[in-house]
Amino acid sequence: MDPLISICIASYNNCKYLKRMLDSAISQTYKNIEIIIVDDGSTDETREVLNAYSDNEKCIIVYKENGGLSSTRQQAMELANGEYLCFVDGDDYLSPTFVEKMYDKISVEQADICLCGTLFLDVAGNVLERETQEYCVKQCIVQSISVSELNSYYMAWTSKFFMSDSWNKLYKREFLIRHNLSFSMPKGLNGSDLIFNHKVLLFCPTICTLDSNEYCHVMYKTSAVHRPNKNLLASYQITIDELICISKTIPGLCVMPQLKLLYTNFSRNSLQDIYMEKKNTNKDFKEVEDIYLRSCDFYESRFKKVKCGYISKALKLFSYILSIKQVRILRLYLKIRYLLVYKKLDNI
């Protein structure tokens, strides 16, 4: 008999779209599934939507007080009985073959994680070509990651396997349990999936990929990635500190130079993000300045004595900007990058 697979759905005020996700889960071509829906204290009509599925034998519905995405995913993982499990969002949906194709691949390759491509759509259902291409899987591969490879290429692996997201992956439950992996980002901060998957990577999983777009991710203007005041820097610093702590417990693992690169990239992303939200105005640059100074302090306290190996010119420049703590240099850098990157004139 095919093993049980758990589809873990996180829901929060998704009543307009939740039925679509639930129907796509129930209609999977792979039949031995359980569907765990954890509602994170929704205040809309989510309960009414879920009541229509309460008699479905495949569905396990749980209501909890609002605690954020990490607590919602974690509760679903603790309830899951499947040999494999996936974490999806209530306002997205799955292709009919999502579970079947992912399971076929992960079982044949005896991998710990399977990654598929993602179809990005707008609210009207139109395919967003640029985002879909960025998240496409160009070929099927199997990668057994070693400690030595993490020491040299940790940052590259995080990018190659889209480790900022959980919804395009199928996980072997035994691997997660064996390494005591959990969702841990505090409520109110973005990055629940990012910190989880970066921790997963530290334990050298075998990862396989599926070169088809099996997950459908819908972009909403009100989604977390579009909300102002996301406080990305706090999320990134929590992630880095937890990764530093875990890495010290793994024999032979020496990823501090890689984490230095990762934090440099994280810090730049958080500064660019708030800079763009404030539309490059002098009036609001004080907030950018505050984030920058906190970034510099964190950088100095964690990475002052850490030497990097290979580093791109762009990150090397920004690493220098973090080390000198000069606001006027940062302002010039962000303005130039805004013109070259966001105005599509060139790249840096």
Side-chain angles (χ1 to χ4, degrees), residues 32-98:
N32 193 21
I33 59 173
E34 64 175 6
I35 302 168
I36 301 171
I37 309 106
V38 178
D39 180 66
D40 189 32
S42 291
T43 57
D44 62 1
E45 288 73 43
T46 291
R47 189 176 290 265
E48 285 78 359
V49 175
L50 291 177
N51 283 342
Y53 295 85
S54 59
D55 293 332
N56 191 301
E57 62 180 9
K58 293 184 181 296
C59 295
I60 301 168
I61 302 172
V62 178
Y63 300 96
K64 62 184 281 294
E65 291 185 6
N66 183 259
L69 181 59
S70 275
S71 66
T72 304
R73 293 223 198 280
Q74 183 62 27
Q75 185 162 349
M77 182 164 67
E78 291 171 1
L79 291 168
N81 298 298
E83 186 173 330
Y84 299 92
L85 61 161
C86 57
F87 303 99
V88 300
D89 295 336
D91 52 2
D92 291 332
Y93 59 100
L94 310 173
S95 77
T97 56
F98 174 87

Side-chain angles (χ1 to χ4, degrees), residues 92-224:
D92 291 332
Y93 59 100
L94 310 173
S95 77
T97 56
F98 174 87
V99 174
E100 180 181 5
K101 288 186 176 180
M102 296 279 269
Y103 168 67
D104 286 347
K105 188 67 176 176
I106 200 171
S107 59
V108 167
E109 304 297 352
Q110 298 184 339
D112 302 304
I113 304 170
C114 183
L115 162 75
C116 69
T118 302
L119 188 67
F120 281 74
L121 307 106
D122 62 19
V123 178
N126 301 307
V127 175
L128 301 174
E129 295 291 349
R130 181 175 64 84
E131 290 85 351
T132 298
Q133 284 301 311
E134 287 177 357
Y135 270 68
C136 76
V137 175
K138 295 181 173 60
Q139 59 181 334
C140 293
I141 63 171
V142 182
Q143 180 70 50
S144 294
I145 297 172
S146 67
V147 167
S148 62
E149 287 172 325
L150 285 183
N151 290 342
S152 299
Y153 306 115
Y154 175 83
M155 187 173 170
W157 293 135
T158 65
S159 176
K160 183 173 183 177
F161 294 117
F162 306 114
M163 299 309 277
S164 60
D165 305 299
S166 293
W167 30 255
N168 54 357
K169 297 176 179 67
L170 184 69
Y171 301 84
K172 189 174 184 179
R173 182 164 166 263
E174 184 275 333
F175 178 87
L176 301 181
I177 293 173
R178 174 160 37 101
H179 297 296
N180 196 30
L181 290 158
S182 63
F183 290 89
S184 57
M185 186 63 74
K187 178 183 176 181
L189 297 177
N190 288 77
S192 295
D193 289 350
L194 182 145
I195 190 171
F196 176 76
N197 284 300
H198 278 63
K199 289 188 294 185
V200 166
L201 191 59
L202 288 179
F203 291 97
C204 299
T206 296
I207 303 176
C208 62
T209 62
L210 182 66
D211 59 349
S212 62
N213 299 329
E214 298 297 323
Y215 190 84
C216 302
H217 182 62
V218 185
M219 301 288 284
Y220 304 93
K221 290 184 178 180
T222 56
S223 68

